[in-house]
Amino acid sequence: MKRFFGEPATRWASLRNRLHVYVLPNSELRSALSARQAVLEGVEYCSVQPEPYLHATVQQFATSAEEVSREEVEAFTERLALLAEETEPFSIELGAPVVDDFALGVRGALSPAWTSLVDGVREAAAATINQGRAMPPGPFGPHVTLGYGLADGSGEQLQRESDLLATEPLPALKVASLHFLAVHQDAEAGTFTWDATVPFELGTSRNGAAL
């Protein structure tokens, strides 16, 4: 495992209020993921993402909340509300935690529903809050990160210890809503947090106001 902070996805001009759209795990999945995070206790080379802030990234944008106008945000949220209304909720089965070069996390398989959701969010942002800027790459697939690499360390050892905790399958990631939020990065602690979200429930027109 290597340090994640300093990689392109983390090179933000400001470490506060970077705009994202996330799917947030429900309480059942958060609890199960938190139990799997026990393997990270005392591991100096990997952070522990706080349980309330566990998330599946749909898309990161190239702007912070301070860099976009109210009109751009309102236009984006209108498009996001329409996308949510037209998208039926779906679920993604998750595998056991996996260590990669930069993190410990759980992954789900790509599906047409997930791909369509990511594409719709990217298209909405390209015409509004991300207009005139290069769009950051989309996620490699649906995933929830349990901890991020802080320094060089043994991924193999961490994987072996994680596998010992994987006695039961994890609950599915239920994609029932989207959350538009402004994310804060703490590069030293190795965490991502936020102050508030704007939720958009899938399959319904009852969606909220802009940030």
Side-chain angles (χ1 to χ4, degrees):
M1 180 177 284
K2 299 179 285 189
R3 183 172 176 81
F4 176 61
F5 299 88
E7 290 299 303
T10 68
R11 294 174 191 165
W12 303 354
S14 169
L15 297 184
R16 293 189 60 81
N17 295 323
R18 182 79 161 201
L19 296 178
H20 290 70
V21 169
Y22 286 163
V23 169
L24 303 183
N26 64 16
S27 58
E28 180 188 16
L29 178 55
R30 281 204 318 273
S31 179
L33 293 174
S34 179
R36 303 298 176 88
Q37 288 179 303
V39 72
L40 296 173
E41 294 177 6
V43 177
E44 295 183 354
Y45 57 87
C46 188
S47 71
V48 179
Q49 175 68 5
E51 180 186 346
Y53 301 100
L54 292 169
H55 60 274
T57 300
V58 177
Q59 184 61 47
Q60 177 188 157
F61 307 113
T63 54
S64 69
E66 293 79 14
E67 296 173 314
V68 294
S69 68
R70 173 59 60 181
E71 291 75 19
E72 287 172 321
V73 171
E74 288 177 350
F76 177 67
T77 56
E78 287 175 5
R79 286 173 174 254
L80 202 58
L82 181 59
L83 175 65
E85 182 179 351
E86 295 174 343
T87 303
E88 290 301 315
F90 61 97
S91 294
I92 297 172
E93 299 299 320
L94 298 172
V98 174
V99 178
D100 61 25
D101 284 347
F102 298 107
L104 171 69
V106 298
R107 304 178 183 182
L110 279 172
S111 68
W114 176 262
T115 300
S116 178
L117 189 65
V118 173
D119 289 347
V121 170
R122 289 171 63 86
E123 289 171 7
T128 55
I129 58 173
N130 208 88
Q131 188 173 21
R133 301 172 174 87
M135 182 77 68
F140 61 79
H143 65 281
V144 181
T145 299
L146 306 183
Y148 299 89
L150 295 174
D152 291 349
S154 175
E156 293 82 1
Q157 178 180 340
L158 188 56
Q159 185 69 68
R160 286 194 297 271
E161 294 176 358
S162 178
D163 289 344
L164 294 175
L165 295 178
T167 57
E168 297 181 2
L170 289 166
L173 173 65
K174 295 181 179 180
V175 185
S177 60
L178 298 173
H179 291 259
F180 179 40
L181 26 65
V183 177
H184 315 315
Q185 178 189 153
D186 186 331
E188 294 307 310
T191 61
F192 296 93
T193 61
W194 54 87
D195 296 324
T197 79
V198 180
F200 296 83
E201 296 179 27
L202 300 190
T204 177
S205 61
R206 301 188 304 274
N207 286 309
L211 285 172

